[in-house]
Amino acid sequence: MVGSQTAPLQSLDEVANLIRAAMTRRRPIMAIYEGRQRLLCPHMLGRNKGGRLRVLCYQYGGGSESGLQRKDGHGDWRCFSLEKISHLRVLEAPWQGAESFPGRPTCIDQIEMEVNYQPEHDPQKGQ
């Protein structure tokens, strides 16, 4: 949870620009959404039918009211409203996703940017 000594709130433009940067660099983000810290890899950014910015992310850690739904407990695809995201920062950590990409979500009507999931090359594993 975020304490009382936190960074100032980010504007919607700042949040959107950080998400774009994370997608371009294939880096995860950490953010607060509905009072919970979340670890996310943004895969699709766009607007809903009402014109509001939404981001489809693979949530691989952090909190969630419903819990992470994958059988292995390691993640889930989620759509987030950018207006509700705060304290966002780009992480220097490996890109993540799931083998089963959900395709085009119903929460995004107009796609602005999309990154297909491909795990990072791991020389330790010979991939």
Side-chain angles (χ1 to χ4, degrees):
M1 199 55 92
V2 177
S4 59
Q5 296 180 356
T6 59
L9 290 179
Q10 297 157 319
S11 71
L12 182 59
D13 285 340
E14 289 172 310
V15 168
N17 287 336
L18 285 169
I19 289 171
R20 287 181 191 101
M23 291 174 73
T24 299
R25 294 180 53 219
R26 297 178 63 86
R27 290 291 174 240
I29 59 175
M30 182 176 66
I32 302 298
Y33 190 84
E34 295 184 341
R36 292 180 171 84
Q37 179 178 293
R38 315 228 183 187
L39 298 173
L40 310 164
C41 284
H43 285 258
M44 187 182 295
L45 178 67
R47 295 185 181 274
N48 68 4
K49 290 181 182 178
R52 296 190 180 265
L53 284 167
R54 299 290 185 261
V55 62
L56 175 69
C57 295
Y58 180 74
Q59 182 175 347
Y60 66 92
S64 171
E65 186 175 331
S66 61
L68 300 181
Q69 303 299 314
R70 286 202 27 208
K71 291 177 186 170
D72 59 12
H74 292 297
D76 199 11
W77 292 100
R78 305 275 169 98
C79 206
F80 297 95
S81 169
L82 269 63
E83 293 96 353
K84 296 181 182 180
I85 293 175
S86 66
H87 302 87
L88 186 148
R89 64 185 176 111
V90 179
L91 304 175
E92 292 300 324
W95 184 253
Q96 298 192 39
E99 308 240 343
S100 59
F101 185 74
R104 187 170 179 162
T106 58
C107 69
I108 296 178
D109 189 52
Q110 297 175 332
I111 298 171
E112 175 185 315
M113 186 175 187
E114 182 175 5
V115 177
N116 291 326
Y117 170 63
Q118 293 176 340
E120 288 189 345
H121 174 71
D122 185 349
Q124 299 277 331
K125 295 181 181 177
Q127 298 176 353

